[in-house]
mmCIF file of all heavy atoms in Angstrom:
data_model
loop_
_atom_site.group_PDB
_atom_site.id
_atom_site.type_symbol
_atom_site.label_atom_id
_atom_site.label_comp_id
_atom_site.label_asym_id
_atom_site.label_seq_id
_atom_site.Cartn_x
_atom_site.Cartn_y
_atom_site.Cartn_z
ATOM 1 N N ASN V 123 -42.367 -28.256 -9.213
ATOM 2 C CA ASN V 123 -42.033 -29.363 -8.364
ATOM 3 C C ASN V 123 -42.938 -30.639 -8.509
ATOM 4 O O ASN V 123 -43.117 -31.407 -7.560
ATOM 5 C CB ASN V 123 -42.098 -28.914 -6.725
ATOM 6 C CG ASN V 123 -41.143 -29.774 -5.866
ATOM 7 O OD1 ASN V 123 -40.120 -30.234 -6.446
ATOM 8 N ND2 ASN V 123 -41.480 -29.869 -4.688
ATOM 9 N N ILE V 124 -43.449 -30.804 -9.651
ATOM 10 C CA ILE V 124 -44.278 -32.006 -10.050
ATOM 11 C C ILE V 124 -43.384 -32.897 -10.919
ATOM 12 O O ILE V 124 -43.071 -32.521 -12.102
ATOM 13 C CB ILE V 124 -45.514 -31.551 -10.843
ATOM 14 C CG1 ILE V 124 -46.352 -30.547 -9.949
ATOM 15 C CG2 ILE V 124 -46.376 -32.810 -11.093
ATOM 16 C CD1 ILE V 124 -47.585 -29.960 -10.595
ATOM 17 N N PRO V 125 -43.028 -34.054 -10.580
ATOM 18 C CA PRO V 125 -42.151 -34.884 -11.274
ATOM 19 C C PRO V 125 -42.767 -35.641 -12.419
ATOM 20 O O PRO V 125 -44.010 -35.762 -12.304
ATOM 21 C CB PRO V 125 -41.644 -35.861 -10.201
ATOM 22 C CG PRO V 125 -42.676 -35.934 -9.207
ATOM 23 C CD PRO V 125 -43.256 -34.676 -9.130
ATOM 24 N N SER V 126 -42.128 -36.114 -13.336
ATOM 25 C CA SER V 126 -42.659 -36.729 -14.551
ATOM 26 C C SER V 126 -43.485 -38.005 -14.160
ATOM 27 O O SER V 126 -44.533 -38.196 -14.845
ATOM 28 C CB SER V 126 -41.549 -37.201 -15.470
ATOM 29 O OG SER V 126 -42.020 -37.800 -16.614
ATOM 30 N N GLU V 127 -43.126 -38.718 -13.040
ATOM 31 C CA GLU V 127 -43.905 -39.836 -12.759
ATOM 32 C C GLU V 127 -45.310 -39.535 -12.208
ATOM 33 O O GLU V 127 -46.179 -40.425 -12.087
ATOM 34 C CB GLU V 127 -43.173 -40.736 -11.667
ATOM 35 C CG GLU V 127 -42.833 -40.032 -10.457
ATOM 36 C CD GLU V 127 -41.398 -39.439 -10.410
ATOM 37 O OE1 GLU V 127 -40.955 -39.118 -11.471
ATOM 38 O OE2 GLU V 127 -40.908 -39.331 -9.309
ATOM 39 N N ARG V 128 -45.589 -38.283 -11.944
ATOM 40 C CA ARG V 128 -46.990 -37.915 -11.520
ATOM 41 C C ARG V 128 -47.592 -37.087 -12.636
ATOM 42 O O ARG V 128 -48.621 -36.426 -12.305
ATOM 43 C CB ARG V 128 -46.960 -37.126 -10.153
ATOM 44 C CG ARG V 128 -46.740 -38.150 -8.961
ATOM 45 C CD ARG V 128 -47.264 -37.516 -7.643
ATOM 46 N NE ARG V 128 -46.521 -36.202 -7.336
ATOM 47 C CZ ARG V 128 -45.388 -36.258 -6.680
ATOM 48 N NH1 ARG V 128 -44.763 -37.365 -6.349
ATOM 49 N NH2 ARG V 128 -44.792 -35.147 -6.451
ATOM 50 N N VAL V 129 -47.051 -37.155 -13.798
ATOM 51 C CA VAL V 129 -47.719 -36.488 -14.998
ATOM 52 C C VAL V 129 -48.193 -37.612 -15.880
ATOM 53 O O VAL V 129 -47.413 -38.482 -16.355
ATOM 54 C CB VAL V 129 -46.736 -35.655 -15.724
ATOM 55 C CG1 VAL V 129 -47.422 -35.117 -17.016
ATOM 56 C CG2 VAL V 129 -46.276 -34.498 -14.845
ATOM 57 N N PHE V 130 -49.491 -37.741 -16.154
ATOM 58 C CA PHE V 130 -50.015 -38.722 -17.027
ATOM 59 C C PHE V 130 -50.738 -37.995 -18.183
ATOM 60 O O PHE V 130 -51.585 -37.184 -18.040
ATOM 61 C CB PHE V 130 -51.110 -39.425 -16.201
ATOM 62 C CG PHE V 130 -50.521 -40.265 -15.097
ATOM 63 C CD1 PHE V 130 -50.438 -39.599 -13.882
ATOM 64 C CD2 PHE V 130 -50.110 -41.550 -15.109
ATOM 65 C CE1 PHE V 130 -49.819 -40.247 -12.759
ATOM 66 C CE2 PHE V 130 -49.482 -42.266 -14.107
ATOM 67 C CZ PHE V 130 -49.305 -41.579 -12.886
ATOM 68 N N ALA V 131 -50.118 -38.270 -19.391
ATOM 69 C CA ALA V 131 -50.536 -37.619 -20.654
ATOM 70 C C ALA V 131 -50.280 -38.456 -21.806
ATOM 71 O O ALA V 131 -49.669 -39.551 -21.684
ATOM 72 C CB ALA V 131 -49.853 -36.262 -20.680
ATOM 73 N N ASN V 132 -50.564 -37.973 -22.959
ATOM 74 C CA ASN V 132 -50.370 -38.733 -24.167
ATOM 75 C C ASN V 132 -48.844 -38.592 -24.607
ATOM 76 O O ASN V 132 -48.142 -37.671 -23.965
ATOM 77 C CB ASN V 132 -51.226 -38.254 -25.357
ATOM 78 C CG ASN V 132 -52.633 -38.620 -25.141
ATOM 79 O OD1 ASN V 132 -52.964 -39.877 -25.271
ATOM 80 N ND2 ASN V 132 -53.575 -37.728 -25.050
ATOM 81 N N THR V 133 -48.330 -39.248 -25.565
ATOM 82 C CA THR V 133 -47.051 -39.103 -26.156
ATOM 83 C C THR V 133 -47.175 -39.109 -27.628
ATOM 84 O O THR V 133 -47.993 -39.711 -28.205
ATOM 85 C CB THR V 133 -46.122 -40.220 -25.695
ATOM 86 O OG1 THR V 133 -46.770 -41.599 -26.026
ATOM 87 C CG2 THR V 133 -45.841 -40.181 -24.173
ATOM 88 N N PHE V 134 -46.307 -38.308 -28.266
ATOM 89 C CA PHE V 134 -46.389 -38.190 -29.695
ATOM 90 C C PHE V 134 -45.553 -39.450 -30.362
ATOM 91 O O PHE V 134 -44.825 -40.149 -29.778
ATOM 92 C CB PHE V 134 -45.532 -36.979 -30.197
ATOM 93 C CG PHE V 134 -46.317 -35.769 -29.890
ATOM 94 C CD1 PHE V 134 -45.738 -34.697 -29.082
ATOM 95 C CD2 PHE V 134 -47.493 -35.434 -30.521
ATOM 96 C CE1 PHE V 134 -46.435 -33.540 -28.936
ATOM 97 C CE2 PHE V 134 -48.217 -34.255 -30.240
ATOM 98 C CZ PHE V 134 -47.611 -33.283 -29.467
ATOM 99 N N GLU V 135 -45.984 -39.705 -31.592
ATOM 100 C CA GLU V 135 -45.282 -40.700 -32.494
ATOM 101 C C GLU V 135 -44.613 -39.776 -33.641
ATOM 102 O O GLU V 135 -45.314 -38.952 -34.197
ATOM 103 C CB GLU V 135 -46.214 -41.752 -32.987
ATOM 104 C CG GLU V 135 -46.609 -42.635 -31.981
ATOM 105 C CD GLU V 135 -47.458 -43.835 -32.455
ATOM 106 O OE1 GLU V 135 -47.939 -43.696 -33.609
ATOM 107 O OE2 GLU V 135 -47.726 -44.767 -31.846
ATOM 108 N N PHE V 136 -43.379 -40.153 -34.000
ATOM 109 C CA PHE V 136 -42.547 -39.455 -34.965
ATOM 110 C C PHE V 136 -42.275 -40.397 -36.199
ATOM 111 O O PHE V 136 -42.104 -41.612 -35.839
ATOM 112 C CB PHE V 136 -41.319 -38.820 -34.388
ATOM 113 C CG PHE V 136 -41.561 -37.911 -33.182
ATOM 114 C CD1 PHE V 136 -41.549 -38.530 -31.967
ATOM 115 C CD2 PHE V 136 -41.781 -36.585 -33.346
ATOM 116 C CE1 PHE V 136 -41.846 -37.663 -30.799
ATOM 117 C CE2 PHE V 136 -42.064 -35.813 -32.211
ATOM 118 C CZ PHE V 136 -41.978 -36.284 -31.018
ATOM 119 N N ASP V 137 -42.077 -39.825 -37.349
ATOM 120 C CA ASP V 137 -41.536 -40.658 -38.410
ATOM 121 C C ASP V 137 -40.064 -40.551 -38.459
ATOM 122 O O ASP V 137 -39.373 -39.928 -37.611
ATOM 123 C CB ASP V 137 -42.192 -40.369 -39.696
ATOM 124 C CG ASP V 137 -41.867 -38.874 -40.219
ATOM 125 O OD1 ASP V 137 -41.057 -38.261 -39.593
ATOM 126 O OD2 ASP V 137 -42.456 -38.435 -41.273
#
Side-chain angles (χ1 to χ4, degrees):
N123 210 27
I124 304 172
S126 179
E127 58 265 27
R128 285 204 296 279
V129 175
F130 299 87
N132 285 299
T133 53
F134 288 119
E135 290 183 344
F136 303 90
D137 68 8

